[in-house]
């Protein structure tokens, strides 16, 4: 299988190397005669973000017979893809090639119209820009990659490894993917999506917004019962007026907003304290560890225990 990987000036070495490492390992392990080749708009060397010069980069003509075309990343500013690249992606797609956009590489795939009306994923920092530019696609932060068969997109950075291993698995089977993963010393499959990595800062509220005082009060009373009636009373509003004003100010319902603030505080406690998960559940207003786990799994596709293992920031004891 011939795999054409798009390279551009300013790409990071990591993004460029991931599909080469995974797909070339298939050949190195003797699993299948896969070949990767780098191409750009023009043949000739490119400069990476780290300042290295990459030679051996061919022109776009080498992608004309590729069975897979990979855009492994994109410019940090998310600029629209050029006409030549869009035409190439559409032409190869129309001739049966699989098109893969890894990390921010989802942007040019969407610009080429290959994700219209479909679900897609990209690095979480690009969600807003991508949806503004392509409101007809649906972003899914609950997965590490999405495979439509003809088009595949992946979440941020290291998720490209997961997507490339998935492509090995779908074409050569689980045993081959596991062999490649073992050789590269990476997990053959990771659970969860990138929702657990996303920072969700509180939106800024005008000082004269009557809801602002309620938000400040609520985040300091997460361990209490924060019913809509309670919050409306703090705001000195009727329940109906409060709900309408709250949605207008925050874009969310009071219940969903409170739930996310509790989950944010639970994440902070898991990262920075040694409190038991039971105690965190109580402190954050979930009442029971079961309720915390259910809400945590629904929001972040992982468990509190696994999240703590990945993100614990407390200094190690000796």
């Amino acid at each position: 299988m011939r795999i054409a990987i798009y390279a551009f000036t300013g790409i990071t070495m990591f993004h460029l190397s991931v599909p080469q490492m995974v797909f070339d390992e298939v050949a190195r392990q003797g699993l299948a005669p896969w070949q990767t080749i780098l191409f750009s708009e023009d043949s000739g060397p490119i400069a990476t973000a780290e300042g290295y010069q990459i030679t051996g980069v061919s022109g776009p003509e080498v992608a004309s017979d590729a069975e897979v075309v990979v855009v492994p990343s994109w410019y940090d500013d998310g600029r629209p893809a050029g006409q030549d690249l869009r035409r190439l992606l559409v032409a190869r797609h129309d001739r049966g090639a699989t098109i893969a956009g890894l990390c921010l590489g989802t942007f040019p795939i969407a610009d080429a119209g290959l994700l219209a009306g479909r679900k897609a994923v990209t690095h979480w920092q690009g969600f807003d820009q991508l949806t503004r530019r392509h409101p007809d696609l649906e972003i899914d932060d609950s997965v590490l990659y999405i495979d439509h068969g003809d088009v595949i997109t992946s979440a941020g950075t290291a998720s490209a490894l997961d997507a490339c291993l998935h492509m090995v698995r779908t074409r050569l089977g689980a045993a081959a993917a596991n062999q490649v993963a073992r050789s590269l010393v990476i997990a053959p499959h990771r659970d969860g999506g990138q929702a657990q990595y996303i920072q969700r800062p509180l939106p800024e509220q005008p000082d004269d917004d009557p809801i602002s005082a309620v938000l400040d009060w609520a985040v300091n009373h997460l361990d209490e019962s924060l019913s809509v009636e309670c919050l409306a009373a703090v705001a000195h509003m009727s329940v109906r007026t409060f709900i309408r004003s709250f949605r207008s100010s925050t874009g969310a319902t009071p219940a969903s907003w409170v739930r996310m603030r509790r989950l944010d505080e639970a994440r902070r406690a898991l990262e920075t304290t040694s409190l038991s998960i039971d105690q965190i559940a109580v402190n954050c207003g979930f009442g029971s560890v079961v309720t915390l786990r259910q809400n945590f799994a629904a929001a972040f596709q992982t468990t509190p225990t696994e999240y703590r293992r990945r993100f614990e920031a407390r200094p190690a004891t000796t």
Side-chain angles (χ1 to χ4, degrees):
M1 186 166 71
R2 188 175 174 85
I3 303 163
I5 302 169
Y6 180 73
F8 58 89
T9 294
I11 193 171
T12 68
M13 288 291 294
F14 179 85
H15 288 105
L16 186 61
S17 67
V18 164
Q20 291 180 286
M21 282 295 296
V22 174
F23 298 142
D24 287 349
E25 191 64 20
V26 169
R28 285 190 289 266
Q29 293 291 318
L31 298 168
W34 287 14
Q35 177 192 14
T36 61
I37 187 166
L38 298 180
F39 76 96
S40 192
E41 288 96 341
D42 302 299
S43 61
I46 65 162
T48 70
E50 297 82 2
Y52 301 118
Q53 291 289 318
I54 303 296
T55 60
V57 180
S58 302
E61 66 280 355
V62 302
S64 62
D65 60 348
E67 295 163 87
V68 176
V69 179
V70 181
V71 183
S73 184
W74 194 240
Y75 298 94
D76 290 341
D77 59 11
R79 67 190 65 175
Q83 188 177 61
D84 290 343
L85 178 59
R86 296 199 310 270
R87 285 176 174 171
L88 183 150
L89 294 173
V90 171
R92 292 310 307 143
H93 176 266
D94 289 348
R95 294 180 183 178
T98 298
I99 309 298
L102 309 179
C103 194
L104 293 180
T106 300
F107 275 76
I109 308 302
D111 291 344
L114 301 180
L115 291 169
R118 290 173 148 184
K119 285 188 176 183
V121 65
T122 188
H123 193 291
W124 61 267
Q125 290 177 325
F127 282 1
D128 291 343
Q129 185 178 8
L130 184 62
T131 52
R132 283 195 301 269
R133 196 147 93 206
H134 299 285
D136 55 339
L137 64 79
E138 179 183 349
I139 296 292
D140 187 349
D141 68 5
S142 68
V143 294
L144 294 176
Y145 53 84
I146 296 175
D147 186 2
H148 292 289
D150 57 331
V151 178
I152 183 170
T153 58
S154 80
T157 315
S159 301
L161 287 165
D162 302 280
C164 290
L165 276 175
H166 167 76
M167 295 173 69
V168 175
R169 188 180 303 110
T170 56
R171 287 159 175 79
L172 301 177
N178 290 345
Q179 184 171 335
V180 169
R182 282 195 297 271
S183 180
L184 298 179
V185 198
I186 56 178
H189 177 76
R190 289 194 297 159
D191 294 324
Q194 62 179 338
Q196 58 194 294
Y197 300 89
I198 299 173
Q199 295 178 337
R200 293 183 171 89
L202 295 176
E204 293 185 6
Q205 302 292 331
D207 293 338
D208 58 352
D209 183 354
I211 299 299
S212 181
V214 178
L215 302 184
D216 291 340
W217 181 88
V219 295
N220 291 302
H221 295 80
L222 293 175
D223 59 333
E224 302 177 16
S225 174
L226 299 181
S227 65
V228 66
E229 291 80 9
C230 171
L231 296 175
V234 172
H236 304 292
M237 295 180 180
S238 69
V239 170
R240 178 176 296 180
T241 301
F242 174 74
I243 292 174
R244 184 171 61 250
S245 299
F246 194 95
R247 184 181 288 275
S248 175
S249 181
T250 68
T253 66
S256 63
W257 186 90
V258 167
R259 182 170 58 254
M260 283 311 304
R261 298 293 77 74
R262 284 175 166 156
L263 286 167
D264 286 344
E265 177 59 20
R267 291 203 296 176
R268 186 201 66 78
L270 289 166
E271 293 175 13
T272 62
T273 77
S274 59
L275 293 173
S276 69
I277 294 176
D278 295 75
Q279 187 60 56
I280 292 173
V282 172
N283 291 353
C284 295
F286 288 106
S288 74
V289 69
V290 172
T291 304
L292 169 60
R293 285 172 175 156
Q294 290 173 340
N295 282 272
F296 209 90
F300 307 127
Q301 290 75 52
T302 192
T303 66
T305 301
E306 177 62 17
Y307 183 89
R308 168 170 273 173
R309 187 188 68 79
R310 291 181 182 177
F311 294 103
E312 189 170 29
R314 290 182 294 120
T317 58
T318 58

